[in-house]
Amino acid sequence: ALDRLAEARFWPVLEELHLQHQSLSPTAVGVLAKAPAPQLRRLTLRRAGLGSDDAGRLACSAACAELDYLGLGGNPLNAAGAAALAALP
């Protein structure tokens, strides 16, 4: 399923993605981080089981470079994860 998601044709035009109350594996976070989504402006991953390493991967990703909103409430982030997110432009 993740292979299909990574190869989906919608990424270049996707503006919003909301995955709430979904447990995302590190592999799924990697797919999101590598997604060719230059139009993505709103990303919601609330209660997705994301840890600080996941937050760091997302913060450094091209997929998050142009976000206006990133919703990560309800995820167990520590100070390192918060620092990675605070470094987002």
Side-chain angles (χ1 to χ4, degrees):
L2 288 175
D3 292 337
R4 285 193 210 145
L5 181 61
E7 296 170 3
R9 290 187 242 165
F10 60 74
W11 288 112
V13 296
L14 187 68
E15 295 179 7
E16 294 189 23
L17 180 62
H18 305 281
L19 299 173
Q20 300 181 76
H21 303 278
Q22 302 291 321
S23 183
L24 298 179
S25 70
T27 303
V29 173
V31 168
L32 285 174
K34 293 177 185 174
Q39 301 298 318
L40 188 63
R41 298 297 179 264
R42 296 181 62 82
L43 178 60
T44 304
L45 302 172
R46 289 192 183 106
R47 297 190 187 280
L50 302 180
S52 293
D53 290 343
D54 300 320
R57 288 175 74 189
L58 288 172
C60 295
S61 73
C64 290
E66 300 296 326
L67 290 180
D68 294 327
Y69 175 82
L70 177 61
L72 295 176
N75 289 294
L77 303 178
N78 62 20
L85 295 171
L88 282 170

